[in-house]
Amino acid sequence: MAAGDRVSRADAEQLARLHRAAMPYSVLGALGTATLRRYYRWVARSADERVFVSRDGDRVIGVAVLSFRPANVIRRFVMARPLSFATAALARFVQDSAFRRQVRAFLAESSSNDAGEAPELLQIFVAAEARGRHNGTALLRRVEEWLSMHGHTRYYVRTLADNNASTLAFYDRRGFAAAGERLFCGSRFAVLVKKVG
Ligand SMILES: CC(C)(COP(=O)(O)OP(=O)(O)OC[C@H]1O[C@@H](n2cnc3c(N)ncnc32)[C@H](O)[C@@H]1OP(=O)(O)O)[C@@H](O)C(=O)NCCC(=O)NCCS
């Protein structure tokens, strides 16, 4: 598989910060900036994920992360550095009752994945000050061009089903259709699908 955009240490630092600000509900984000830095370096090197970085000069202003094996991406990330992950998760588990609830919910949920092994957009976000200027649309366009060039006909995205009208509208206006619902760490997520090519 073709390599994705390069993610330097400095890029990963910026992505970690942007991730926490753009998605405060993110369970991965709750594990802290060090875990997020490792995550963005890991997906950039992974053979089963592809990273699209949006830049304004030297500054990272957004990212899209696509997975071709979404069903076990968390497990693969954890297994890459189990000790670092366990340390971060344990610290959070002890400090944060909301995180404890999310972990308990995750363990009780079914591990089935609606999207199976079809490509899934795991993350997409743009820095708050750069939103509304077509950066998100440009990231989706790059994702879709890449998917069609590589023979894929559809991809999925999951987004919070509740109190998330602007993001749901963003996907709706860009041709995504409802493909079900899924519980993740106790929150309801809408599963959306879009045809490409
Ligand atoms: C969703 C997101 C990536 C869109 O990026 P963007 O650069 O603002 O996208 P664009 O400028 O191409 O398009 C903006 C459109 O999204 C809508 N939008 C959705 N959320 C928005 C937000 N928080 N700020 C500005 N516009 C937003 C705008 O109304 C606009 O609508 P349009 O369809 O009529 O054009 C960005 O708003 C974001 O990072 N949101 C927070 C993180 C998030 O929710 N990610 C998705 C998780 S699945």
Side-chain angles (χ1 to χ4, degrees), residues 18-19 21-25 61-63 121-128 130-141 157-160 164-174 189:
L18 290 178
H19 180 124
M23 295 181 296
Y25 52 83
I61 56 163
V63 78
L121 194 60
L122 300 177
Q123 280 88 26
I124 181 168
F125 55 81
V126 168
R131 287 181 200 156
R133 295 188 214 150
H134 313 295
N135 291 304
T137 304
L139 279 169
L140 282 185
R141 199 177 310 119
V157 68
R158 276 187 253 166
T159 194
L160 278 176
N164 195 22
S166 60
T167 306
L168 287 162
F170 170 81
Y171 288 124
D172 182 52
R173 284 195 289 270
R174 277 145 194 89
F189 281 75

Side-chain angles (χ1 to χ4, degrees), residues 93-173:
F93 197 84
V94 170
Q95 292 161 8
D96 183 344
S97 61
F99 183 73
R100 285 198 291 278
R101 273 196 301 279
Q102 287 176 313
V103 171
R104 286 196 190 105
F106 175 76
L107 296 174
E109 286 158 9
S110 136
S111 62
S112 73
N113 187 313
D114 301 290
E117 288 297 5
E120 181 176 334
L121 194 60
L122 300 177
Q123 280 88 26
I124 181 168
F125 55 81
V126 168
E129 68 279 8
R131 287 181 200 156
R133 295 188 214 150
H134 313 295
N135 291 304
T137 304
L139 279 169
L140 282 185
R141 199 177 310 119
R142 285 187 65 202
V143 165
E144 290 166 15
E145 280 169 8
W146 195 91
L147 284 169
S148 3
M149 260 171 48
H150 290 80
H152 294 278
T153 55
R154 69 191 197 290
Y155 73 115
Y156 289 83
V157 68
R158 276 187 253 166
T159 194
L160 278 176
D162 301 307
N163 304 317
N164 195 22
S166 60
T167 306
L168 287 162
F170 170 81
Y171 288 124
D172 182 52
R173 284 195 289 270

